[in-house]
Structure formats: structure tokens, C-alpha cells
Amino acid sequence: MTSTYAVLSEGLEKRFGEVHALRGLDLAIAEGTVCGLLGPNGAGKTTAVRVLTTLLRPDAGSARIAGHDLVREPDAVRRAIGVTGQFASVDGDLTGRENLRLFAKLRRAPKAHARADDLLDRFELTEAAGRLASTYSGGMRRRLDLAASLITRPAVLFLDEPTTGLDPASRNQIWQAVRDLAADGTTVLLTTQYLEEADQLADDIALLDEGRVAHSGSPATLKALIGSYAEVVVAHADAMPQAAVVLDQLTGGEPHFDHERHAVGSVTTDPTLTLPRLVRELDAAGVPLLDASLRPPSLDDVFLRLTDSPTDRKDLVA
């Protein structure tokens, strides 16, 4: 590669008629890392993946994938990448072993049979290798699909919603496989709607909104942007205003009221605020406290706070 970035794009644009799907997409993904590409429906995630994997030609901008120019060297890009789409691409009428050997031959992989057997072993599919893929569970088919994308040991692997519909055990198997790939030096670009998945796997996150990167950074960096959430539950409704005053003094954030639970909450970006201090201040103010909590934000909180999360756009493009 010619740089420390496995994926580097600048100003990528893509239109579909009047719909402006990508509006200057800038990405810089370091080699051997996992980047989570997140965003609400219509943010441009799938369009970005299709452009970066040469399935769509950008209208403007530039990109280099594994050191190769996206537009001028598409064949070199394809040889350097692996792609696992939202839906398994394996053939149900072939066995697991036959599927991998077929992919190996199509990719002209050296020692195709040995490579297929190695991947079957790596993804714990050896015992089922002689069965038709149509008899596999959802998790097994997904692992077989992921194995197929690794036939040629890609420098960059694109994973589009890799664990959709899987049970927790199967999801954990895919997560471990992704961690192992990154540890071996493969760069992974992951799109997902499971924010816990991005939190578990991603070294960095690019949060897309309206076709461009609105925010980027590590999960911890993005969480720090919105602060922690302090909440107190009081004995009766009459105590809620005083609890709100204390929270305002400590957090400086606008209080949120849950009258059914007699709860008051507020966001704080003050890293020095602790739960013991919160409880002491409430006690000193005479607030009849039943419960108190101070929790760091989740990626769900980040997602909802940093994007508009529209559900009624008329020009949605994935």
C-alpha cells in the first residue's frame, strides 16, 4: 500500500436522479482497524459501500482502496477486497465445501481445495462441510458467506449488516471472527444497525447523515460529546422541582421529567461529577431520594443525539 490508510476517500458524490445520496463523503480508515459506518435510514451507507466496492461509479470525488485508485484501477481494487453483503450469497444446492471451492476457483485462488478446507476449519464448519448449505442454520450460512469473502485473504473486507437476524450465540461467533481478522491485519469496514455491535468491534466510527460524515472518532470520543446521564427517583411528585434544581446546579443541563416514575434526569459533560457527590448534594437539599444513577452514554444515545434520525423522508436512499 502507498499510505497508512486502507480506505481513503475525498469528496465522493453520487446522485440517483434528484436524490443526492452521497454529498462529499470523506473517509480515512487506517490499516488493520475496524471502522463502523453508522447512520439513519437514508444516510447513504449502502450507497457508500457500493461505490467503494466498485459496484457504482462515483459522480465526483476520489478514493483509494488498499493503495489503488477506485476509478482508474477498479480491477486491482476488486482483487484487494472481500465483500459480504446483507444477504448470504452461498448456493443452497451445493455443500459448504463445494461453495468455498467454487468461490476459490472463481477468484483463481492458489491451492483452492486447501484454502477452502482451511476456511471451513477456521469458521468451525468442517463437520457440516459435506451437507447442503440449504440445511445450514442462519448463523452457519452467515459464517460460510464470510468465509467465502476471505478466499483470497483480502486487504480490506466490507461487511454490510453481517449479523442481521442472527441469534446472540451466532452473532458472538461472527464478532470473534471479525476481531481475529483485524488482529491478522485485515481492514474491516462495517455497516450495521446494531449499535452494540459497532461498540464491541469498531476502533473508529464514521456517523453518516445526509450523505456525508457528520461525526467521526472512537466510540469513547463520540460518547464524550454528549456526556453522561444523571437520573434521580424521588419519593413523591412534590419533590421533583427541588431535585431538578440540584441537578441543574450539578450538571448545567436541561432537566427531563418522568412524572409517572417521579424521576428527574439531566445530561452532564462534567467528568468530575460522581454518584456519591450527586447523592450527597440531594441529601443536603432535603430531597427524599429513592434511587439515583449516573451512567455513561451508549452508542444508541450518541446516534439519537447526533443525527436527526428521520423516519419520514421522501427521498430515502440506503
Side-chain angles (χ1 to χ4, degrees):
M1 296 184 191
T2 59
S3 76
T4 58
Y5 295 111
V7 177
L8 183 63
S9 72
E10 297 179 343
L12 286 181
E13 303 267 345
K14 187 63 186 178
R15 286 182 176 271
F16 299 95
E18 296 182 356
V19 177
H20 204 167
L22 297 181
R23 303 169 181 261
L25 181 68
D26 298 325
L27 285 175
I29 305 175
E31 297 174 6
T33 64
V34 179
C35 178
L37 197 63
L38 308 181
N41 292 332
K45 301 184 299 297
T46 298
T47 300
V49 170
R50 294 184 69 192
V51 168
L52 293 172
T53 56
T54 76
L55 296 177
L56 288 174
R57 187 181 179 91
D59 299 327
S62 63
R64 297 188 71 81
I65 312 296
H68 304 291
D69 187 272
L70 182 69
V71 174
R72 294 197 298 269
E73 303 173 276
D75 290 340
V77 170
R78 293 177 192 125
R79 286 192 294 269
I81 66 174
V83 182
T84 299
Q86 293 185 25
F87 306 102
S89 60
V90 297
D91 190 332
D93 293 329
L94 299 178
T95 67
R97 180 175 287 109
E98 288 170 341
N99 266 284
L100 292 190
R101 288 180 176 179
L102 175 61
F103 277 103
K105 290 179 180 179
L106 291 173
R107 297 297 300 268
R108 299 179 181 177
K111 299 181 180 179
H113 287 194
R115 180 60 176 158
D117 290 342
D118 287 344
L119 287 167
L120 288 168
D121 183 61
R122 179 173 185 173
F123 286 92
E124 301 180 5
L125 293 170
T126 300
E127 290 186 7
R131 286 168 40 195
L132 293 180
S134 60
T135 68
Y136 284 14
S137 68
M140 293 171 66
R141 286 174 65 90
R142 206 59 175 139
R143 279 184 280 146
L144 183 62
D145 199 38
L146 183 55
S149 68
L150 300 176
I151 285 290
T152 56
R153 295 181 174 88
V156 182
L157 177 62
F158 292 85
L159 295 179
D160 195 7
E161 308 284 354
T163 63
T164 298
L166 298 188
D167 60 72
S170 297
R171 185 174 301 155
N172 285 334
Q173 288 179 317
I174 296 295
W175 287 0
Q176 189 56 53
V178 173
R179 293 188 187 101
D180 292 343
L181 289 170
D184 288 343
T186 296
T187 302
V188 180
L189 190 149
L190 167 74
T191 69
T192 180
Q193 295 289 2
Y194 294 123
L195 300 187
E196 180 192 2
E197 181 165 86
D199 208 357
Q200 287 279 339
L201 298 177
D203 298 292
D204 289 289
I205 287 173
L207 188 57
L208 267 63
D209 202 15
E210 297 184 349
R212 61 173 64 91
V213 177
H215 301 276
S216 63
S218 68
T221 298
L222 293 182
K223 290 175 184 178
L225 292 176
I226 68 170
S228 298
Y229 189 74
E231 184 183 71
V232 299
V233 180
V234 296
H236 47 78
D238 292 344
M240 293 177 68
Q242 183 59 33
V245 170
V246 175
L247 280 179
D248 179 60
Q249 292 171 345
L250 291 175
T251 69
E254 181 181 355
H256 304 280
F257 296 91
D258 183 338
H259 293 280
E260 184 175 345
R261 294 172 52 235
H262 297 163
V264 185
S266 181
V267 173
T268 177
T269 56
D270 181 0
T272 67
L273 180 61
T274 63
L275 185 58
R277 180 185 170 198
L278 174 63
V279 172
R280 285 197 302 269
E281 294 292 337
L282 289 163
D283 185 59
V287 176
L289 186 65
L290 294 182
D291 191 19
S293 62
L294 182 65
R295 66 171 179 84
S298 66
L299 273 187
D300 294 75
D301 298 321
V302 171
F303 185 90
L304 293 172
R305 287 282 302 279
L306 297 183
T307 71
D308 293 330
S309 299
T311 58
D312 58 353
R313 290 183 189 167
K314 297 179 180 179
D315 59 346
L316 288 180
V317 175

